[in-house]
Amino acid sequence: MDMVDTSVVVVGSGFGGLSTACYLADAGADVTVLEKNEQLGGRASRLEADGFRFDMGPSWYLMPDVFERFFGHFDRSPTDYYELTHLDPHYRIFFKDGDRVDVRPDMEHNRAVFEEYEPGAGDALDDYLRRAEKNYGVGMEEFVYTDRNRFRDYVSWDVVKNARGLSLLGSMQDHVEKFFDHPKLQQIMQYTLVFLGGSPHNTPALYNLMSHVDFNLGVHYPEGGLGGVVDGIAELGSELGVEYRTDHEVTAITGHEGDFLVHSGDRRTPADLVVSDADYAHTEQNLLPAEHRQYDADYWESRTYAPSAFLLYLGVEGDVDPLAHHTLVLPTDWDRHFHQIFDEGEWPDDPAYYLCVPSETDDDVAPEGYSNLFVLVPVAPGLDDGPEQRERYREMILADVAENTGVDLRDRIAFEEQFSVSEFADRYNSMRGTALGLAHTLRQTGPMRPGHRSSAVDGLYFTGSYTTPGIGVPMCLISGEHTADAVLDDVDRPHRRLSWS
Ligand SMILES: Cc1cc2nc3c(=O)[nH]c(=O)nc-3n(C[C@H](O)[C@H](O)[C@H](O)COP(=O)(O)OP(=O)(O)OC[C@H]3O[C@@H](n4cnc5c(N)ncnc54)[C@H](O)[C@@H]3O)c2cc1C
């Protein structure tokens, strides 16, 4: 195999694109990343204004083991680029009936909280987490790090045998009910599904492994926020020889393997191979000629998209106690919330939402005497988010925060910016303004997600959250590894020896 002298253009600089670029540059390729926006990182963009610095998208640093594995491949460690702080509490939940729960690194504390709600639930929590840990081990090895892109590999006997005890097909709701009766305990075990863009009813129980992620592996804060991680990976890429061009929106990808042209208006970048980390639907429908598309418009129309979001980035005078770095506010009727997002396509009228307050941990994200926070409300993708609707929703959410957490932000907002369905569509070329891409429903898991290799045109590859393993920063880092493996496999196969090599 020889990647030396092979030129690769990566379209889009989300974690999937940055990761693929590192792996391929490390293998000897000449890699250029072309990014539409003014900065690298994709959904993990940063907003800086008036002394405030916001992570605009991801804010939970989960699965530290995945980042160690990623940097380890290049004989580095995350701490070569950023330090981590283990958060305590991991997160705080305000239930809208007045209850408040902290999930902490201290498991004795968590057991006691569960026991208070339901006698025996402390032991049930231990049991649940033991299984989640086992599932995490098997799931990561068999389904996440191993890219089983053919259905028959995914369900092969060996895998099923190895995955014994891993309930793949039932819903998360059914799984959690076997352990806990109390609705609030069920909610605590299920909230992680919002990271996957799913609901307890449409997400397979396989994802109970997420509880191992948040209870056992812990929730950390990287120095500089998630933007600091983007900087770290981009720096690693530079060390490996990756070239980055921002403000460079790709408008078409023409040509073929060994002779692609990546167009950006009048600018053209030649490439032997192309990897797209831009949203899959956008790449296929807007950048490729019809004969190079794998899926038709009906395919993209009929997918289940993860929610979009209504986001308020707020710089606020004074402190915001008792909000924690990660705070969730959950309604008692949470089924209705999911029903409105996934079935009705509506703005939830009693939403579950998330407040992120990095100024609780990091002095550099707000001027002295101010707090930095954002409010993230998952809403249905494709909604009309005109000014009147936004104003109505903003008022409702700020009133809800005041009522349910006791923190009234309304008279002390020094900086504010909104980001919702239209901005997701405009800034990231996102189909229906989905915040996260394709939801992890059973039909959109594993080999049922669109592939890393194009089946319509040799030499074109895909990476990022639409592909396997899926949504989330750690998953997109791994998808970069899978995509690079697919490229290297193809270059390596004698019968597929590429024409220019
Ligand atoms: C609000 C929010 C909160 C989240 N919270 C978390 C969290 O706490 N923890 C977590 O792990 N994950 C979280 N996620 C999910 C995570 O951020 C994403 O799954 C991941 O970052 C997506 O990476 P990606 O590789 O798919 O690329 P993306 O980040 O989607 O980047 C794709 C890039 O392609 C660019 N692009 C698009 N079209 C073109 C074009 N034509 N030419 C050039 N460039 C183009 C876009 O500008 C973008 O930069 C969150 C996401 C959002 C939106």
Side-chain angles (χ1 to χ4, degrees):
M1 191 277 303
D2 189 5
M3 285 295 288
V4 176
D5 294 332
T6 297
S7 58
V8 182
V9 162
V10 176
V11 181
S13 67
F15 281 101
L18 294 176
S19 163
T20 314
C22 288
Y23 283 106
L24 291 180
D26 189 50
D30 177 6
V31 183
T32 306
V33 176
L34 303 180
E35 167 55 50
K36 162 185 183 293
N37 293 326
E38 74 297 342
Q39 57 179 297
L40 302 177
R43 266 123 165 136
S45 288
R46 270 193 291 218
L47 169 63
E48 293 191 48
D50 299 351
F52 296 97
R53 193 185 69 222
F54 300 91
D55 275 326
M56 295 178 70
S59 55
W60 295 65
Y61 186 92
L62 298 170
M63 302 182 161
D65 48 330
V66 172
F67 295 84
E68 275 160 28
R69 175 187 158 108
F70 172 77
F71 283 105
H73 178 88
F74 308 98
D75 296 324
R76 270 94 159 170
S77 110
T79 50
D80 293 333
Y81 299 92
Y82 52 85
E83 296 298 328
L84 290 175
T85 306
H86 193 158
L87 298 181
D88 187 3
H90 288 161
Y91 49 96
R92 177 164 291 160
I93 301 176
F94 290 86
F95 289 103
K96 291 193 184 177
D97 63 1
D99 277 10
R100 184 169 129 181
V101 167
D102 279 1
V103 171
R104 299 186 48 201
D106 173 3
M107 274 309 292
E108 278 313 308
H109 161 88
N110 299 332
R111 280 174 51 85
V113 167
F114 273 57
E115 202 60 40
E116 247 172 59
Y117 277 108
E118 188 176 311
D123 285 346
L125 176 63
D126 285 343
D127 189 20
Y128 189 98
L129 291 180
R130 251 193 315 273
R131 286 174 199 234
E133 179 172 6
K134 188 169 160 228
N135 293 351
Y136 184 81
V138 175
M140 290 300 279
E141 241 7 272
E142 298 288 352
F143 301 104
V144 176
Y145 287 130
T146 311
D147 190 19
R148 299 181 186 281
N149 52 15
R150 289 178 311 179
F151 191 74
R152 66 172 181 275
D153 292 341
Y154 200 68
V155 296
S156 78
W157 174 237
D158 268 2
V159 172
V160 171
K161 220 169 46 181
N162 273 332
R164 223 177 19 229
L166 193 72
S167 39
L168 285 174
L169 303 177
S171 72
M172 268 297 284
Q173 181 61 34
D174 295 343
H175 180 74
V176 168
E177 276 174 6
K178 287 183 197 141
F179 292 82
F180 309 103
D181 289 330
H182 201 290
K184 285 183 186 155
L185 300 185
Q186 294 181 6
Q187 283 183 306
I188 295 173
M189 303 320 283
Q190 290 169 338
Y191 94 91
T192 44
L193 299 185
V194 300
F195 290 122
L196 303 169
S199 86
H201 299 282
N202 74 6
T203 308
L206 160 71
Y207 292 108
N208 65 58
L209 54 83
M210 288 300 288
S211 291
H212 174 63
V213 169
D214 78 330
F215 276 87
N216 297 338
L217 298 179
V219 181
H220 296 79
Y221 179 74
E223 185 186 352
L226 265 288
V229 181
V230 172
D231 291 347
I233 296 175
E235 190 182 327
L236 166 65
S238 294
E239 290 161 13
L240 297 167
V242 176
E243 193 192 320
Y244 303 100
R245 293 186 204 151
T246 50
D247 291 312
H248 201 112
E249 179 161 17
V250 172
T251 46
I253 302 168
T254 59
H256 52 83
E257 190 175 49
D259 193 18
F260 281 110
L261 274 182
V262 183
H263 305 249
S264 177
D266 293 341
R267 292 175 288 186
R268 285 163 192 203
T269 313
D272 296 320
L273 304 172
V274 175
V275 176
S276 180
D277 175 52
D279 279 31
Y280 214 120
H282 163 69
T283 307
E284 280 248 326
Q285 299 191 107
N286 303 116
L287 304 184
L288 294 176
E291 67 277 13
H292 284 174
R293 296 177 193 161
Q294 304 165 85
Y295 306 100
D296 59 16
D298 286 350
Y299 172 87
W300 294 113
E301 282 306 321
S302 61
R303 298 302 90 190
T304 303
Y305 290 91
S308 185
F310 178 74
L311 283 145
L312 292 175
Y313 304 104
L314 302 174
V316 175
E317 235 182 297
D319 69 44
V320 291
D321 290 346
L323 302 185
H325 186 134
H326 295 305
T327 297
L328 304 164
V329 183
L330 305 182
T332 37
D333 181 3
W334 113 322
D335 278 350
R336 177 167 167 72
H337 161 87
F338 285 114
H339 182 63
Q340 287 189 299
I341 294 177
F342 284 98
D343 305 323
E344 302 299 328
E346 291 173 350
W347 294 82
D349 47 27
D350 185 15
Y353 55 93
Y354 161 57
L355 297 157
C356 180
V357 194
S359 50
E360 287 292 309
T361 312
D362 185 344
D363 290 339
D364 292 340
V365 294
E368 209 180 321
Y370 289 83
S371 297
N372 168 318
L373 78 153
F374 72 72
V375 189
L376 186 168
V377 192
V379 302
L383 289 174
D384 177 3
D385 62 353
E388 277 172 29
Q389 171 60 29
R390 283 177 188 239
E391 192 46 33
R392 189 183 71 76
Y393 219 60
R394 172 189 184 277
E395 293 300 312
M396 187 187 101
I397 295 297
L398 293 178
D400 198 288
V401 174
E403 187 184 334
N404 291 299
T405 69
V407 181
D408 199 334
L409 301 167
R410 287 170 288 195
D411 290 337
R412 48 200 184 105
I413 295 175
F415 171 85
E416 174 171 353
E417 192 149 318
Q418 299 181 3
F419 198 95
S420 195
V421 185
S422 328
E423 284 86 354
F424 277 106
D426 292 347
R427 183 169 170 83
Y428 304 121
N429 286 327
S430 156
M431 174 111 182
R432 292 193 200 154
T434 168
L436 302 170
L438 290 180
H440 281 266
T441 60
L442 189 54
R443 284 161 186 266
Q444 294 180 173
T445 287
M448 279 82 81
R449 290 179 91 73
H452 290 119
R453 277 183 188 87
S454 167
S455 56
V457 52
D458 284 345
L460 174 65
Y461 300 83
F462 296 88
T463 194
S465 65
Y466 276 69
T467 64
T468 56
I471 291 171
V473 173
M475 296 299 119
C476 290
L477 280 184
I478 297 168
S479 89
E481 179 182 344
H482 290 332
T483 304
D485 283 349
V487 172
L488 298 176
D489 266 7
D490 289 350
V491 172
D492 211 16
R493 267 186 284 160
H495 65 278
R496 267 220 35 358
R497 170 82 45 204
L498 305 175
S499 49
W500 73 95
S501 59

